[in-house]
Amino acid sequence: METLTSLISINLDYFTVVLLVIFFTAENVFNTQFKFDKMGKHLLENIGFLILITLLNLFWAGIIVIAIDWLHTHEIGLFHHLDLPIWLFLLFSVMLFDMANYWFHRIAHYVPLLWNFHRVHHSDSRMDASSNIRVHPIELVFYFGSSGVVAAALFGLDTIGLGLFVLIIIPYVFIDHCNIKYPGWIDKTFGLIFTTPNFHRVHHDQDEYYTNSNYADIFILWHRLFGTFKYKHPDQVKLGLKEFDDRKQSFWYLMKTPFININDQDSSEK
């Protein structure tokens, strides 16, 4: 338990930056799945999101920890009424935090106000490791950040379980977005349990039929259980959103898009 406590006390900001460097370097070494040009500019635009998210998390992460600690102290949630060994509790914690993210993610695709923020992530037509951090800070901090509190309230999870989940999911989502061509056997083996990069790429397809699928970050179980799994060969995936052309890929434009009508702006520019 001491080892786990030490691991989850790692500074996540440094951890994220190190992973970004590792995976961005890997993309320059190995074969890429998608077009790989203008990536220096693409990286710089996306780093703006990382800076804002880091600053907001200085406040919001503390609120989340306080909320989950309060729930745990007052023994709110299912697992407070069950006697589970610690290893099973931690496994369920990771799975249930992932399930909460699945539902928050799925809802974000169907509620127009939430989609206005979430589409910032889907707008990326040059997906690479830095696409993982292209997330509107209001969405990530105040919406997806709340999913952990909801999961803790329902199931009696604690901050140790949350810390383990975060330690796993940060590198996992870098792997999912990294622009490396993965062999098909990964989908046929690891893909029986986990959401593989090729499965996640389907979620980033321009076709809404595929965009509204494969929401889970880690476990493919949620796709299978709730009927949202779809497959498309990665060579056929076309990234991004139709309404976001190359003129609409800058950090400042993406930051304001949740608050403007893109179609109206398109009409005024013609």
Side-chain angles (χ1 to χ4, degrees):
M1 200 66 178
E2 285 185 19
T3 303
L4 177 58
T5 304
S6 299
L7 280 173
I8 63 176
S9 65
I10 292 172
N11 187 304
L12 296 178
D13 297 328
Y14 294 146
F15 187 41
T16 301
V17 171
V18 169
L19 288 170
L20 180 58
V21 171
I22 290 172
F23 283 103
F24 192 79
T25 301
E27 289 165 330
N28 283 276
V29 174
F30 299 105
N31 291 334
T32 56
Q33 180 69 55
F34 303 108
K35 179 174 64 176
F36 198 73
D37 63 348
K38 302 179 182 178
M39 300 317 293
K41 183 177 184 297
H42 180 255
L43 174 64
L44 289 174
E45 296 286 2
N46 287 342
I47 282 177
F49 292 99
L50 179 61
I51 293 170
L52 273 183
I53 290 165
T54 300
L55 292 174
L56 281 171
N57 261 332
L58 293 174
F59 165 76
W60 193 245
I63 297 297
I64 292 171
V65 168
I66 290 170
I68 293 177
D69 275 340
W70 185 90
L71 292 167
H72 186 68
T73 301
H74 289 79
E75 298 188 350
I76 296 172
L78 175 65
F79 289 162
H80 289 289
H81 306 285
L82 301 174
D83 187 18
L84 297 176
I86 186 63
W87 67 268
L88 189 57
F89 173 77
L90 291 174
L91 174 61
F92 282 154
S93 294
V94 171
M95 293 184 69
L96 292 170
F97 280 125
D98 189 54
M99 186 181 74
N101 267 12
Y102 166 91
W103 278 107
F104 271 63
H105 189 176
R106 186 171 177 178
I107 291 168
H109 276 248
Y110 288 97
V111 177
L113 176 62
L114 299 177
W115 173 247
N116 285 347
F117 289 95
H118 185 57
R119 69 185 177 185
V120 170
H121 181 62
H122 280 270
S123 69
D124 204 340
S125 59
R126 284 184 171 85
M127 193 168 81
D128 68 0
S130 73
S131 301
N132 174 50
I133 58 176
R134 184 193 281 211
V135 183
H136 200 287
I138 290 178
E139 177 192 37
L140 185 65
V141 175
F142 296 105
Y143 180 64
F144 273 107
S146 303
S147 67
V149 178
V150 173
L154 290 174
F155 301 108
L157 311 180
D158 62 13
T159 52
I160 298 293
L162 177 64
L164 178 60
F165 172 68
V166 171
L167 193 64
I168 292 171
I169 199 172
I170 290 178
Y172 200 95
V173 291
F174 270 110
I175 293 169
D176 267 355
H177 291 90
C178 189
N179 188 7
I180 291 177
K181 193 165 188 174
Y182 296 94
W185 63 262
I186 290 179
D187 300 334
K188 296 174 182 177
T189 53
F190 291 100
L192 296 174
I193 300 173
F194 302 107
T195 300
T196 67
N198 285 339
F199 294 161
H200 187 71
R201 285 164 180 169
V202 174
H203 179 70
H204 280 267
D205 192 85
Q206 279 191 8
D207 187 338
E208 188 176 341
Y209 174 80
Y210 293 104
T211 308
N212 296 331
S213 70
N214 300 9
Y215 300 103
D217 291 309
I218 299 176
F219 295 102
I220 201 169
L221 168 66
W222 315 127
H223 306 317
R224 305 293 193 187
L225 188 61
F226 302 119
T228 54
F229 177 78
K230 294 187 179 77
Y231 181 76
K232 187 177 189 179
H233 194 280
D235 290 342
Q236 299 174 334
V237 170
K238 186 174 182 180
L239 299 170
L241 295 173
K242 295 175 183 177
E243 61 267 35
F244 285 85
D245 57 28
D246 285 343
R247 299 170 301 162
K248 299 173 180 177
Q249 296 293 322
S250 72
F251 167 75
W252 292 113
Y253 184 85
L254 292 168
M255 280 296 297
K256 71 179 182 180
T257 53
F259 311 102
I260 64 175
N261 188 315
I262 297 177
N263 295 326
D264 284 351
Q265 188 177 66
D266 283 344
S267 300
S268 67
E269 289 175 351
K270 292 178 180 177

